[in-house]
């Protein structure tokens, strides 16, 4: 009996020691700030990438004892999965995936428009194909990442020609599109940079997101923030947008210098970086909260209606099953941080 009592006591002591050894480190600094901020990115030469290359996040975060961790996501689908698990605080994605996030009631809110897409997203056909226009795609196989801005633009292009029921659409991630393209398993693909440049090497562009925007089908990349983070650290959200603005300002002032800077981090040529950067419209904070885009929380801008129209579109496509209300959209798009940034400037 004494022997077993000694074993039990010894076992308890071991457990206590182990518990002390694995004691969880505090998640905040002594100033009440998070020890780390996890930021999702898509590796394109936009305002965020310029800010990263300029080390703006060092100035706004790391110099205050906050580690910034940048995580690459191939699409908004995987970024939304990370939001659902609570493993990231910010992420950029095509706004159609933001619609999906809202429909699934993920605890996030939309805070920024990175860029209005133009020739950096396009529909490409194989170089030796007889396809000359969208209408010629009837009966063909077309790949695109589903629920993305490219998917939305592709369907709008097909809809314009009335052939949306006469093609085979394949849901593929960008890396899979390149592989399928090289095997010639697909006739066409609608995708974004840098995948777009890869397939253009042996392909021809027949329409772009700039062409579709001119027909009223605007698409954009956006940034979302996890509500648990924004509610606890609202000032850091404004700081985050300030970093993005520094990137936008640097590019506007000197596009060549910005392209030279980001091409090294993205492992592309300066010419490729500059071409991609010039293919979309970058917004200032003042434009962000203008009537043409986000607007303010008191006076929602045009993007709110674009978002609502896209909800209806994705419902029709069965990409989402639950329709958020217009009020839910207005609450989801939170312009207050951009508004505070404009006042701060």
């Amino acid at each position: 009996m004494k022997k077993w009592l000694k074993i039990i006591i010894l076992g308890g002591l071991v457990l206590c020691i182990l518990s002390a050894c694995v004691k969880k480190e505090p998640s905040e600094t002594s100033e009440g700030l998070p020890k780390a901020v996890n930021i999702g990115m898509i590796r394109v030469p936009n305002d965020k990438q310029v800010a990263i290359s300029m080390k703006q996040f060092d100035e706004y975060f790391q110099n205050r004892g906050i580690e910034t961790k940048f995580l690459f996501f191939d699409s908004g689908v995987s970024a939304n999965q990370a939001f659902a698990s609570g493993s990231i605080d910010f992420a950029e994605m095509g706004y159609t995936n933001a619609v999906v996030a809202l429909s699934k009631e993920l605890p996030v809110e939309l805070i920024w428009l990175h860029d209005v897409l133009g020739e950096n997203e396009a529909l490409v056909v194989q170089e030796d194909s007889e396809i000359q226009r969208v209408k010629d795609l009837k009966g063909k196989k077309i790949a695109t990442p589903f629920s993305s801005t490219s998917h939305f633009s592709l369907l709008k292009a097909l809809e314009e020609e009335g052939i949306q029921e006469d093609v085979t659409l394949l849901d593929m991630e960008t890396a899979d599109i390149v592989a399928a393209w090289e095997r010639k398993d697909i006739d066409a693909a609608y995708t974004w940079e840098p995948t777009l440049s890869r397939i253009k090497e042996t392909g021809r562009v027949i329409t772009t997101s700039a062409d579709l925007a001119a027909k009223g089908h605007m698409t954009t990349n956006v940034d979302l923030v996890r509500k648990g983070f924004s509610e606890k650290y609202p000032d850091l959200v404004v700081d985050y947008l300030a970093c993005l603005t520094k990137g936008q300002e640097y590019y506007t002032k000197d596009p060549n210098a910005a392209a030279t800077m980001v091409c090294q981090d993205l492992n592309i040529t300066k010419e490729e970086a500059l071409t991609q950067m010039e293919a979309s419209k970058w917004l200032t904070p003042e434009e962000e909260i203008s009537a043409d885009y986000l607007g303010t929380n008191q006076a929602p801008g045009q993007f709110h209606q674009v978002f609502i129209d896209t909800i209806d579109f994705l419902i029709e496509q069965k990409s989402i099953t639950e329709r958020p209300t217009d009020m839910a959209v207005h609450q989801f798009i939170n312009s207050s941080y951009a508004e505070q940034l404009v006042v701060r400037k």
Side-chain angles (χ1 to χ4, degrees):
M1 191 68 181
K2 289 181 179 179
K3 178 181 177 182
W4 283 108
L5 184 60
K6 288 180 179 178
I7 292 173
I8 292 171
I9 292 172
L10 182 61
L13 289 171
V14 170
L15 285 174
C16 289
I17 293 169
L18 289 175
S19 297
C21 290
V22 298
K23 184 179 179 182
K24 190 175 180 180
E25 290 294 323
S27 59
E28 292 188 331
T29 67
S30 58
E31 290 77 23
L33 298 173
K35 283 199 167 184
V37 176
N38 298 306
I39 301 171
M41 56 185 294
I42 55 177
R43 283 187 187 153
V44 297
N46 60 7
D47 53 356
K48 180 183 283 188
Q49 184 57 60
V50 175
I52 292 171
S53 298
M54 292 174 65
K55 302 191 182 303
Q56 282 300 312
F57 290 93
D58 291 355
E59 179 179 334
Y60 282 85
F61 290 92
Q62 292 186 15
N63 287 351
R64 299 163 72 183
I66 304 172
E67 181 183 4
T68 48
K69 299 178 181 178
F70 296 99
L71 309 162
F72 169 70
F73 293 101
D74 190 52
S75 71
V77 175
S78 51
N80 278 339
Q81 291 170 347
F83 271 131
S85 68
S87 58
I88 57 173
D89 303 306
F90 296 92
E92 60 188 304
M93 63 182 66
Y95 84 99
T96 51
N97 274 293
V99 173
V100 174
L102 175 58
S103 72
K104 290 185 176 181
E105 299 184 342
L106 297 184
V108 294
E109 52 190 352
L110 190 155
I111 57 173
W112 193 253
L113 304 183
H114 281 289
D115 48 8
V116 179
L117 303 178
E119 294 180 358
N120 53 343
E121 288 199 3
L123 176 60
V124 184
V125 298
Q126 296 281 357
E127 191 172 36
D128 56 0
S129 168
E130 296 181 356
I131 300 167
Q132 299 297 324
R133 53 185 181 169
V134 174
K135 185 173 289 188
D136 298 334
L137 287 166
K138 189 173 181 178
K140 304 300 183 180
K141 294 179 181 179
I142 312 170
T144 194
F146 278 16
S147 298
S148 67
T149 50
S150 286
H151 184 207
F152 175 82
S153 296
L154 170 61
L155 289 171
K156 283 301 181 182
L158 298 173
E159 195 177 274
E160 290 274 346
E161 299 297 336
I163 63 168
Q164 63 270 30
E165 302 296 331
D166 302 316
V167 300
T168 300
L169 297 185
L170 303 173
D171 181 12
M172 291 186 183
E173 295 287 349
T174 54
D176 297 326
I177 287 175
V178 173
W181 182 268
E182 292 174 347
R183 294 193 304 266
K184 293 198 172 182
D185 290 345
I186 53 178
D187 302 294
Y190 206 125
T191 187
W192 55 82
E193 296 289 2
T195 304
L196 179 59
S197 289
R198 289 281 304 277
I199 65 175
K200 280 169 63 177
E201 292 174 2
T202 55
R204 290 180 287 106
V205 173
I206 58 174
T207 194
T208 70
S209 293
D211 299 327
L212 290 160
K215 296 178 180 179
H217 309 306
M218 179 182 77
T219 51
T220 180
N221 287 322
V222 302
D223 217 288
L224 306 186
V225 63
R226 185 172 55 83
K227 280 187 175 180
F229 184 93
S230 59
E231 291 171 354
K232 192 170 186 179
Y233 312 108
D235 289 344
L236 293 185
V237 179
V238 181
D239 288 341
Y240 177 80
L241 298 186
C243 289
L244 303 182
T245 298
K246 290 291 186 181
Q248 176 267 322
E249 290 173 344
Y250 187 79
Y251 164 71
T252 302
K253 182 180 179 180
D254 194 340
N256 282 293
T260 300
M261 184 180 297
V262 303
C263 73
Q264 299 175 24
D265 291 337
L266 296 177
N267 196 29
I268 58 177
T269 67
K270 174 187 172 182
E271 291 71 24
E272 288 172 331
L274 194 58
T275 297
Q276 293 179 38
M277 294 161 92
E278 292 175 341
S280 60
K281 177 178 174 58
W282 298 27
L283 304 177
T284 67
E286 290 77 12
E287 288 174 320
E288 292 276 349
I289 62 173
S290 71
D292 290 337
Y293 297 104
L294 293 181
T296 65
N297 280 1
Q298 293 300 314
Q302 184 181 343
F303 182 74
H304 286 243
Q305 189 58 51
V306 171
F307 203 90
I308 290 167
D309 292 343
T310 305
I311 288 174
D312 294 335
F313 176 78
L314 293 179
I315 286 283
E316 289 174 9
Q317 296 299 319
K318 296 182 173 56
S319 295
I320 59 174
T321 56
E322 299 296 326
R323 190 196 187 286
T325 65
D326 291 2
M327 180 60 69
V329 171
H330 297 321
Q331 293 174 342
F332 179 75
I333 301 173
N334 189 346
S335 306
S336 66
Y337 307 107
E339 292 178 59
Q340 291 175 56
L341 179 61
V342 170
V343 172
R344 181 193 289 185
K345 286 181 69 180

